Amino acid sequence: MQISKLSVVLMALQFLAASLAHAAPRKAHTVVLAAARKVPYDKAGDPAGAAPGEDSLRIRALLVDGALKEWTTGDAHDVTDRSFVVRRVLRINDALPTDQQTAGQPGQAAAGKPQSHWVWQRGPWLLVDRVTGHIAALKLPDYDPGVSQVSWFRDYAAYCGVTASGKSLYAVVAQVAARKPVLAKKLEAFDAASHPDIVCAAAEWQREPLRITFHPAGKDAVSFDIVPGSAVLVEDADEEAETPVQAKPR
């Protein structure tokens, strides 16, 4: 009889422990884009990204639980109710090995050691999860920081891309978390040495029918109809999924 009562008590304790473990709340994270501030920025510091005459860049700190994770620039775009994308900005050491510090100056190291020279450069796009606080760099096909002006709609990114050879300009529509682009159509040959400052104006989206229009510099606008599909972004998942979405030229 005592053994039976003990078994019942143990089973009850196990059930209670399992229930408490299942009901334990997930740690909440706080993800914040801080107030914008200006930093010096020019063509010498960012040859690929800065426009002629651009002398400053507005940047914002990306904070997770109060800790600085990344520096960002431009507007963020909500992909879902918990995930958003924002463009990263990089702080790069532009010092040459021959740039020497002068011995004896306050706050400087001994002579002969290269002096750091920090410049800001526009970088890739980031995918940020507000729930987990996870930040991931997006690998957009043929994305070029100095050429590609990304126009977002849902989980689609539309932009002019440059192939790895640097010789072709493509109209690209990529989908977050998809391995292959939804659209990749050659627009024209590309000359990295003599391209205009703005290679393509921002692409324009239309919802019904789903259509994207590209504006390459000096060329007529070109539009493509996109066969809409479901979002392929799976939050809290490690594996990427391919998208069945296809594009057809208009």
Side-chain angles (χ1 to χ4, degrees), residues 79-80 154-156 175-177 228-234 241-245:
V79 177
T80 70
R154 297 177 181 170
D155 62 337
Y156 296 113
Q175 194 170 17
V176 174
S230 300
V232 295
L233 172 61
V234 180
E242 290 192 10
T243 172
V245 179

Side-chain angles (χ1 to χ4, degrees), residues 112-250:
K113 185 177 180 179
Q115 181 179 5
S116 298
H117 176 234
W118 300 101
V119 296
W120 293 94
Q121 294 187 2
R122 289 185 172 103
W125 284 81
L126 303 173
L127 177 66
V128 185
D129 190 316
R130 291 187 180 94
V131 174
T132 64
H134 181 67
I135 302 170
L138 291 179
K139 297 179 181 180
L140 300 176
D142 293 332
Y143 175 82
D144 186 297
V147 173
S148 305
Q149 298 190 55
V150 181
S151 179
W152 290 95
F153 174 68
R154 297 177 181 170
D155 62 337
Y156 296 113
Y159 54 93
C160 290
V162 179
T163 54
S165 65
K167 296 181 179 180
S168 297
L169 185 71
Y170 268 67
V172 180
V173 175
Q175 194 170 17
V176 174
R179 292 190 180 94
K180 298 180 180 179
V182 175
L183 171 72
K185 296 291 184 181
K186 185 175 180 179
L187 295 174
E188 59 186 9
F190 182 74
D191 185 354
S194 60
H195 66 78
D197 294 325
I198 299 179
V199 178
C200 286
E204 297 176 332
W205 284 100
Q206 174 184 309
R207 180 179 287 108
E208 294 180 0
L210 186 57
R211 180 176 298 156
I212 185 65
T213 301
F214 294 87
H215 300 276
K219 302 288 184 179
D220 293 335
V222 57
S223 297
F224 299 92
D225 288 346
I226 306 296
V227 180
S230 300
V232 295
L233 172 61
V234 180
E235 290 151 325
D236 266 345
D238 293 327
E239 296 182 357
E240 294 180 345
E242 290 192 10
T243 172
V245 179
Q246 298 178 346
K248 57 182 180 180
R250 178 172 172 267

